[in-house]
């Protein structure tokens, strides 16, 4: 019934949006509000599903065309189905639906001088993704020919792991993410850095289990994410490598601490991204960099500390030493961002004058980032 509600509701939204916008009866804001209400009404009441729903509702505020809203809803449906996939076919179809929506949004939202760069980055992502997905599809076909089953249980899952690591932007399969971060609009950048990661890690935690170690990818991601940011002339490229470093920490949580710690640090990361790309006040931007750097008293410090605590508890000392070393390396360019924005002259640090909804969002994220340590410090004082 949920699948029928999703498909029927989306069809009605498409017809309503096309007819209403053509005749001028309603504005795009009304269409967006109806889309947000539809998302809330049809989403299952599981915690991860509801978190993805709320995140998508927030992200809808950043898109200002009906086509973009439509593809964002299609991507949401793919993500929601993928989080509960039980066989290889459903996983593959839902994952590629999400990829297709991202590629189309890159072309739709490209504006001005960055149009060619955005399309070029989207084509790189599409071609690389098609190559990895084609190899995975061939392997799925070979497994079906050998076993006669498409269930994930009891199957060799190396190619699923490889596809997921590519979609997450894990090093050394990360260059597409650096290109996209540097060329796509800010609204799409905010979407790409939050919703796909939440859906992929939720699928990892709830529907898929494997026996492979991701220690090599953790080391690659943390070292490349920490060292690659040095010398980057553009701020977006710097934060692209920062995201690769954060993905390495999230994989370290999966490897050593478990999914509870993963969701904790992932939640802090998503809140920081929402705050980071919705600010115009440069000093608040610098405070977000403080949290990403893992400096107290913000939530980012306690999220990383808990991961390190669990890594030490399971005696993963090599991964812990590499993570601490890379965290110290990343402090250098984070401190550079903090110095650049915090010490900016008053006339260049624009005050925040966003829309009421945007002001409410940034205020809520700032409060969460500042007061989350009250809850995260508990494991260290028991």
């Amino acid at each position: 019934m949920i699948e029928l509600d999703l498909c029927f509701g989306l069809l009605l939204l498409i017809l309503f949006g096309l007819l209403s916008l053509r005749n001028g009866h309603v504005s795009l804001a009304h269409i967006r509000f109806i889309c947000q209400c539809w998302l809330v009404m049809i989403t299952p009441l599981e915690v991860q599903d509801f978190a993805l729903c709320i995140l998508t509702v927030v992200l809808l505020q950043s898109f200002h065309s009906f086509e973009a809203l439509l593809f964002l809803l299609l991507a949401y449906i793919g993500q929601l189905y993928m989080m509960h996939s039980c066989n290889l076919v459903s996983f593959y179809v839902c994952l590629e639906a999400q990829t297709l929506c991202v590629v189309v949004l890159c072309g739709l939202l490209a504006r001005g001088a960055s149009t060619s760069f955005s399309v070029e980055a989207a084509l790189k992502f599409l071609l690389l993704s098609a190559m990895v997905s084609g190899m995975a599809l061939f392997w799925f076909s070979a497994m079906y020919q050998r076993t006669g089953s498409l269930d994930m249980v009891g199957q060799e899952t190396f190619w699923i792991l490889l596809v997921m690591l590519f979609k997450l932007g894990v090093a050394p399969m990360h260059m597409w993410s650096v290109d996209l971060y540097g060329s796509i609009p800010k609204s799409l950048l905010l979407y790409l850095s939050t919703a796909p990661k939440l859906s992929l890690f939720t699928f990892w935690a709830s529907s898929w289990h494997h026996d492979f170690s991701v220690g090599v990818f953790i080391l690659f991601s943390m070292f490349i994410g920490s060292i690659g940011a040095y010398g980057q002339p553009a701020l977006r490229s710097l934060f692209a490598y920062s995201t690769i470093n954060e993905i390495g920490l999230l994989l370290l949580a999966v490897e050593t601490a478990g999914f509870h710690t993963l969701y904790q640090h992932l939640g802090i990361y998503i809140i920081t991204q929402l705050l980071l790309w919705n600010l115009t006040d440069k000093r608040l931007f610098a405070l977000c960099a403080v949290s990403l750097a893992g400096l107290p008293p913000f939530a980012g410090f306690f999220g990383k500390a808990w991961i390190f605590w669990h890594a030490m508890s399971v005696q993963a000392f090599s991964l812990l030493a590499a993570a601490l070393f890379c965290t110290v390396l990343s402090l250098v360019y984070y401190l550079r961002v903090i110095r650049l924005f915090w010490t900016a002259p008053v006339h260049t640090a624009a005050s925040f004058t966003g829309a009421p909804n945007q002001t409410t969002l940034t205020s809520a994220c700032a409060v969460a980032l500042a007061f989350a340590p009250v809850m995260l410090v508990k494991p260290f004082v028991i």
Side-chain angles (χ1 to χ4, degrees):
M1 292 302 296
I2 294 177
E3 290 81 0
L4 290 176
D5 288 342
L6 282 170
C7 296
F8 186 67
L10 185 61
L11 180 61
L12 290 179
L13 281 176
I14 294 173
L15 294 176
F16 176 73
L18 291 176
L19 294 176
S20 300
L21 291 176
R22 175 179 296 180
N23 297 326
H25 296 315
V26 295
S27 65
L28 185 64
H30 298 147
I31 301 292
R32 184 186 294 112
F33 177 74
I34 294 174
C35 294
Q36 292 169 337
C37 294
W38 174 72
L39 286 175
V40 174
M41 288 188 295
I42 56 90
T43 300
L45 295 179
E46 297 184 16
V47 177
Q48 295 89 342
D49 299 338
F50 196 69
L52 181 64
C53 173
I54 296 300
L55 179 60
T56 307
V57 168
V58 171
L59 293 173
L60 284 172
Q61 294 293 131
S62 304
F63 293 84
H64 305 291
S65 68
F66 175 69
E67 294 82 4
L69 297 180
L70 176 61
F71 279 102
L72 200 66
L73 293 178
L74 289 173
Y76 169 76
I77 293 176
Q79 291 163 358
L80 187 64
Y81 284 174
M82 185 187 66
M83 288 162 59
H84 301 283
S85 297
C86 57
N87 60 47
L88 299 174
V89 173
S90 60
F91 166 75
Y92 178 82
V93 171
C94 295
L95 188 65
E96 292 310 305
Q98 173 183 297
T99 301
L100 176 63
C101 292
V102 171
V103 172
V104 174
L105 284 173
C106 288
L108 283 176
L109 301 180
R111 293 291 185 272
S114 64
T115 301
S116 59
F117 297 104
S118 180
V119 173
E120 179 184 356
L123 286 176
K124 286 181 181 178
F125 174 53
L126 177 62
L127 293 176
L128 291 174
S129 178
M131 181 187 70
V132 174
S133 300
M135 296 170 67
L137 189 61
F138 175 78
W139 187 255
F140 296 162
S141 303
M143 284 193 297
Y144 178 74
Q145 183 181 17
R146 186 171 64 253
T147 63
S149 174
L150 290 172
D151 294 335
M152 293 184 184
V153 179
Q155 299 280 13
E156 299 177 10
T157 55
F158 173 76
W159 278 106
I160 299 179
L161 176 64
L162 186 63
V163 171
M164 289 184 60
L165 294 177
F166 174 82
K167 300 293 184 181
L168 287 170
V170 175
M173 301 174 288
H174 65 284
M175 292 309 300
W176 66 265
S177 62
V178 177
D179 291 337
L180 279 182
Y181 268 62
S183 58
I184 59 179
K186 187 171 67 173
S187 57
L188 187 56
L189 174 59
L190 177 59
Y191 168 77
L192 190 63
S193 60
T194 53
K197 293 175 175 54
L198 176 59
S199 61
L200 284 168
F201 277 118
T202 301
F203 167 77
W204 197 331
S206 60
S207 301
W208 178 64
H209 306 283
H210 67 94
D211 299 325
F212 298 100
S213 174
V214 292
V216 175
F217 296 102
I218 293 172
L219 294 175
F220 268 113
S221 298
M222 290 191 296
F223 277 105
I224 292 178
S226 301
I227 299 174
Y230 286 92
Q232 293 296 327
L235 190 64
R236 288 190 174 201
S237 299
L238 187 148
F239 279 106
Y241 282 101
S242 169
T243 299
I244 296 169
N245 187 21
E246 291 294 323
I247 294 297
L249 286 173
L250 292 171
L251 291 178
L252 178 61
V254 174
E255 186 80 2
T256 61
F259 292 107
H260 177 76
T261 303
L262 166 71
Y263 283 131
Q264 174 182 283
H265 191 65
L266 181 60
I268 295 171
Y269 168 78
I270 289 175
I271 291 174
T272 307
Q273 293 296 315
L274 289 173
L275 191 58
L276 189 67
W277 301 112
N278 278 285
L279 286 176
T280 57
D281 193 317
K282 295 184 178 181
R283 293 194 171 183
L284 291 178
F285 195 94
L287 292 179
C288 292
V290 172
S291 180
L292 283 174
L295 296 176
F298 292 100
F301 167 77
F302 294 95
K304 291 184 179 181
W306 205 354
I307 294 175
F308 297 158
W309 178 277
H310 283 283
M312 184 177 62
S313 300
V314 299
Q315 299 182 354
F317 296 118
S318 58
L319 292 177
L320 176 61
L324 290 173
F325 176 72
C326 293
T327 301
V328 174
L329 279 181
S330 63
L331 280 177
V332 177
Y333 60 79
Y334 279 127
L335 291 175
R336 177 187 173 190
V337 173
I338 295 169
R339 180 187 62 82
L340 178 65
F341 286 94
W342 188 264
T343 60
V346 177
H347 67 275
T348 62
S351 59
F352 186 77
T353 56
N357 291 334
Q358 193 177 16
T359 306
T360 304
L361 171 64
T362 53
S363 301
C365 291
V367 170
L369 204 62
F371 288 97
V374 177
M375 296 173 286
L376 300 182
V377 77
K378 182 179 178 182
F380 301 101
V381 297
I382 291 179

